[in-house]
Amino acid sequence: KKKSGQKQRKLSILSISASSSSSLLPNVSFSSSKCCSSFLTPQTHTNSNPFLPIVKSKKKKPVGVTMSIEAGIGVMATKLGMMSFFEPNGKVVPVTVVGFKEGNIVTQVKTEATDGYDAVQVGYRRVRDRKLTKPEMGHIQKAGSIPLRHLQEFRLQSVDGFEPNQKLSFDELFNEGDIVDVSGTTIGKGFQGGIKRHNFKRGQMTHGSKSHRALGSIGAGTTPGRVYKGKKMPGRMGGTKTKIRKLKIVKIDKDLNVVMIKGALPGKPGNLLRIAPAKIVGKNIPKS
């Protein structure tokens, strides 16, 4: 009986030592004729160092161009002001008069092979040479163009038919009655309150009310104990880029070199505008 008990103790000690050594050396197996178990089998590692943890490699997402595709080539222009336009039937239409300074010249043609996407870069408003930096002058001179202040891209499905130093004319690209998208920078209003910025209602001005133009409650107390992001509150108003879509071209005057577009356009007189064909899904741009 004493001998059998001693044997059992020896077997238990061997199993404990093997298990501890296997945890320290996971790629080494300890085989014994008296004690064999499944957890002592060798482990295979793909790493060169077996003691380092196995980390799965993450696939890198391709970095693409996020710029949206335009329905067609557009131009840049300058806002001149607003007026009333009388149609032949006598109807009065509020229009914005848009003029053109020297420019709207193709400065670069980007292709899928060279830049990863198809686009046409257009320059607008001539300036003196000393108004541009040397890198900007080098870029303009490469296209053989005059010095231009503003450069903007129009991403297209195809850039066939465009070449550097090509002049773009508004009356050749658009006709009266066409629908266009106009984008520009809105008039800056500075720091404004909630009533002007978000059209909030004010409180009573009489009957003992002490809440007139104040914002009021901006959230609960302990829960969540903070103010949610995106809460409409007082802050800086205006001075942001805005696009007004689907505006109608009422008249194109070649003699005065102006265009009349129905409705109001962003910015004050003298503001830079970007005019492009209106994007209509399924008609001039693909659904995908």
Side-chain angles (χ1 to χ4, degrees):
K1 290 181 179 179
K2 290 181 179 180
K3 290 181 179 180
S4 62
Q6 290 176 356
K7 288 182 178 180
Q8 289 178 358
R9 288 176 184 174
K10 288 180 179 180
L11 290 172
S12 62
I13 291 168
L14 286 170
S15 62
I16 292 169
S17 62
S19 62
S20 61
S21 61
S22 63
S23 63
L24 294 173
L25 301 172
N27 65 334
V28 180
S29 63
F30 298 89
S31 60
S32 176
S33 60
K34 294 183 179 180
C35 58
C36 292
S37 58
S38 60
F39 64 84
L40 296 179
T41 55
Q43 298 180 3
T44 58
H45 291 267
T46 57
N47 296 352
S48 60
N49 191 343
F51 299 102
L52 293 176
I54 301 174
V55 180
K56 294 182 179 179
S57 60
K58 295 182 180 180
K59 294 182 179 180
K60 293 183 179 180
K61 295 181 180 180
V63 180
V65 181
T66 58
M67 186 172 57
S68 61
I69 298 177
E70 298 285 353
I73 189 68
V75 296
M76 284 178 279
T78 303
K79 180 177 178 178
L80 299 180
M82 293 194 69
M83 60 174 289
S84 297
F85 178 79
F86 290 85
E87 293 183 347
N89 57 3
K91 184 179 179 181
V92 181
V93 179
V95 297
T96 302
V97 183
V98 178
F100 300 93
K101 296 183 179 180
E102 190 174 359
N104 283 322
I105 299 173
V106 177
T107 56
Q108 186 180 6
V109 178
K110 297 187 176 183
T111 60
E112 185 76 26
T114 58
D115 299 276
Y117 63 100
D118 295 328
V120 176
Q121 186 186 83
V122 181
Y124 179 71
R125 214 190 92 186
R126 182 170 187 171
V127 292
R128 285 178 285 182
D129 297 355
R130 64 185 184 87
K131 293 291 185 180
L132 301 179
T133 62
K134 288 188 177 181
E136 291 173 342
M137 281 298 301
H139 177 72
I140 295 294
Q141 289 173 358
K142 188 176 180 181
S145 173
I146 59 176
L148 300 167
R149 166 61 68 190
H150 305 287
L151 299 177
Q152 291 194 14
E153 282 188 3
F154 294 87
R155 188 179 179 189
L156 306 174
Q157 298 178 4
S158 176
V159 292
D160 297 338
F162 296 100
E163 57 184 10
N165 204 20
Q166 178 182 349
K167 176 72 175 178
L168 300 178
S169 180
F170 187 88
D171 55 351
E172 295 178 359
L173 301 174
F174 300 94
N175 298 314
E176 293 182 0
D178 289 353
I179 306 299
V180 294
D181 293 343
V182 183
S183 58
T185 304
T186 59
I187 299 175
K189 302 291 184 179
F191 194 97
Q192 298 297 331
I195 292 177
K196 182 171 182 177
R197 193 182 185 206
H198 300 294
N199 298 320
F200 287 168
K201 293 182 179 179
R202 63 168 176 82
Q204 287 185 335
M205 302 300 289
T206 57
H207 298 285
S209 174
K210 296 181 180 180
S211 175
H212 305 305
R213 297 178 65 91
L215 193 63
S217 175
I218 57 174
T222 305
T223 304
R226 61 187 177 88
V227 179
Y228 287 127
K229 290 183 178 180
K231 181 71 177 175
K232 291 182 179 180
M233 299 178 70
R236 183 169 293 184
M237 180 180 178
T240 57
K241 184 180 178 182
T242 306
K243 178 185 285 187
I244 303 179
R245 302 188 63 239
K246 297 182 179 180
L247 298 176
K248 181 181 178 182
I249 298 176
V250 177
K251 184 175 180 60
I252 300 176
D253 195 327
K254 297 181 181 179
D255 297 333
L256 299 176
N257 196 23
V258 297
V259 177
M260 299 180 186
I261 300 177
K262 184 178 179 180
L265 302 182
K268 56 181 65 176
N271 192 37
L272 176 69
L273 299 175
R274 174 190 172 110
I275 305 175
K279 293 194 288 187
I280 303 174
V281 177
K283 185 176 180 181
N284 51 17
I285 60 172
K287 293 183 178 180
S288 59

